[in-house]
Amino acid sequence: QVQLVDSGGGLVQPGGSLRLSCAASGRTLNTLTMAWFRQVPGKEREFVAARRSSGETSYAREFVKGRFSVSRDNGKNTGYLQMNSLELEDTAVYYCAAANGRPITSVLRNPSTYEYWGQGTQVTVSS
């Protein structure tokens, strides 16, 4: 059984940066597809980015616009979401997720693709 623990959220001013972490146990992350989602109250969980076990990445280009990047430290079995140039609209609870196998690209953005979820970490962008 895979367990994921999110951390790294906090309060940051517009234009600032945060790095979220997703510590995994039970399986090595490099055998899983890892993703990040975010959610604000009253809205559905929204895809942010994903990284396949191969290293291939995918981003929600409609709002990421080159500001975020996903990475993985195999030695620490931890995934990261580096977020730069944060905007007010990035305020949300961010969740890491992981999926077995190699989901095809068309389902990477679908939360139901992922079997494992972190507890979420709050990111607040405010001046």
Side-chain angles (χ1 to χ4, degrees):
Q1 184 73 3
V2 176
Q3 292 186 329
L4 305 175
V5 178
D6 303 324
S7 63
L11 174 64
V12 63
Q13 292 186 339
S17 297
L18 280 175
R19 188 178 76 159
L20 306 184
S21 300
C22 178
S25 60
R27 286 270 301 277
T28 53
L29 266 182
N30 61 6
T31 65
L32 301 167
T33 293
M34 187 191 73
W36 291 91
F37 288 78
R38 68 185 189 183
Q39 190 169 25
V40 298
K43 292 190 176 182
E44 294 185 351
R45 198 161 291 190
E46 178 179 50
F47 173 79
V48 177
R51 182 186 178 97
R52 296 181 185 278
S53 56
S54 63
E56 178 188 354
T57 56
S58 177
Y59 295 92
R61 300 188 184 280
E62 60 270 28
F63 61 82
V64 170
K65 299 178 182 177
R67 301 179 297 130
F68 298 175
S69 65
V70 288
S71 61
R72 185 178 66 216
D73 184 329
N74 291 334
K76 295 181 178 180
N77 208 32
T78 298
Y80 302 98
L81 177 67
Q82 177 68 44
M83 304 188 295
N84 300 322
S85 302
L86 283 162
E87 302 170 352
L88 298 176
E89 295 75 18
D90 295 318
T91 295
V93 178
Y94 284 72
Y95 298 89
C96 72
N100 291 308
R102 299 178 180 182
I104 59 176
T105 300
S106 62
V107 300
L108 280 178
R109 301 173 68 110
N110 189 339
S112 65
T113 296
Y114 300 88
E115 294 95 337
Y116 312 108
W117 289 87
Q119 80 285 2
T121 184
Q122 176 71 47
V123 171
T124 301
V125 184
S126 175
S127 57

